[in-house]
Amino acid sequence: MVRNIVVLGGSSHPHLTQTICNHLGVAPANVLLDKFSVGETRVEIKESVRGKDVYIIQSGGGKVNDNLMELLITISACKTASARQVTAVLPLFPYSRQSDIPYNKTGAPLSKASNCFNKPDFPYLLDSLPQTPHPDHSQSAGLTNGMDGLHKGLSKIQLDELSSASSSPQNARFASYVHGPHNRTDSTDFGKSTTYFDRQKNGSTSSLGNGTAKDESNGTKSDVAKSHVFQPQPGYKQWVAQAGTLVADLLTCAGADHIITMDLHDAQYQGFFDIPVDNLYGRPLLKKYIQYQIPDFQQAVIVSPDAGGAKRATAIADGLGMPFALIHKERRPTKISDRQNATMMLVGEVVNRTAILIDDLADTSNTITRAAKLLKKEGATKVYALLTHGILSGDAIDRINASALDKVVVTNSVPQDEHKSRCPKLEVLEVGTIFAEAIRRVHYGESISVLFQYD
């Protein structure tokens, strides 16, 4: 029996909470988790947690947003009640697939929008104009007529665009608000004035006097001036939601002192926290299942369904001395008639062998079902799918039942009772003992590195 410890279970996974408490020899704490009629989360802790170590168990499956808000309120309630230390136990970390820097299909970070201003030959820095003054620099002059003139200029430009496409030149009108009014008596200077965008895009000086444009390179004149749509100052990075940093800050600000989770989808999440994060592995369970539940596993092949999980799959393959194969998503045009497998290519040999797909997470199960179809097409006799987190949302269960998969093995990091009743191919592994041992070791100040050793 572990003393001076309080285990609080959230509403996301009551079965896992009971398993952990049974292993630790303690009873779950008495806590009221409810919702008001308006939909707000209500949390009441009905026993003393003063000076105790509190472990709050809340998974990220199901209603993710409600579970996350309930976790944050529970953490804050424990800190307010003078708990000595609050540890959030998250078998499935919420928002774990939303990294701070999004990637497109080719793998390049989406740092800028695709336009003519971020070309290599465009001489412009990623700074805003006017710049924010530094402490040792004088403040910039900014716009001549202030923000009022800028807004008026933008409003007039929009009205002109809606009224007629062949209106008078807009760059000259906008320049009067940004750079100040021109001297109307000096017609020579006014006729040679151009905007910044014209010089960069056209590479030549244009004349905008009297509604006509003059090209100095060939000396020709056009009857109607080209109307230019105003474009904002380029250089800003594309606005994206930084969910990883946000969730980490929310947990830290709520009062969490420690995070325990399993198989983070992005390992960079540990760097978002200023508090200790223990990322446990589900590989020991998967390796033990392969050794004792799959006949002749030495002759089977470990397969990664994508390049991102190759390192995870090769760790299991090397530990068991098994061959390895990889499914590569080919995005170039191919001549394969089958549209479903047209973008997938198998690297390795699976003919007359059992194929074991290894992945950390399955949500819609589209990736593993397509991979199973390709493996059966390439000659695999049986196809297993071993997953740490089986979210299986939407029509994932129906897709698995109709797929070429022979068996899908998941852990109960999220509730699997409903999934198991609907899918005869599903088998569930228990992870409560791993989290219970991690909680016991953290509580007594012991090392948990033994839980990371899966070789």
Side-chain angles (χ1 to χ4, degrees), residues 204-239:
S204 60
T205 304
S206 301
S207 174
L208 298 176
N210 298 328
T212 60
K214 178 180 179 181
D215 191 352
E216 295 181 356
S217 60
N218 52 15
T220 59
K221 295 183 178 180
S222 58
D223 297 331
V224 181
K226 297 180 181 179
S227 58
H228 299 277
V229 180
F230 171 74
Q231 297 183 2
Q233 190 71 25
Y236 288 104
K237 291 186 178 181
Q238 184 179 6
W239 288 103

Side-chain angles (χ1 to χ4, degrees), residues 286 289-291 294-305 313 316 320 322-325 350 353-359 375 380 382-386:
L286 303 183
Y289 182 88
I290 293 174
Q291 288 176 316
I294 298 180
D296 297 331
F297 70 92
Q298 296 90 348
Q299 306 301 323
V301 182
I302 300 294
V303 183
S304 175
I316 296 179
L320 296 176
M322 300 172 60
F324 170 75
V350 296
R353 289 187 174 185
T354 300
I356 304 174
L357 288 166
I358 301 293
D359 207 351
L375 292 172
K382 283 188 176 182
V383 179
Y384 290 80
L386 274 64

Side-chain angles (χ1 to χ4, degrees), residues 330 333-345 374 377-378:
E330 183 65 48
T334 60
K335 296 182 180 180
I336 302 177
S337 58
D338 191 355
R339 293 183 58 188
Q340 188 173 5
N341 292 330
T343 59
M344 303 185 76
M345 179 177 62
L374 178 61
K377 186 178 180 180
E378 295 292 335

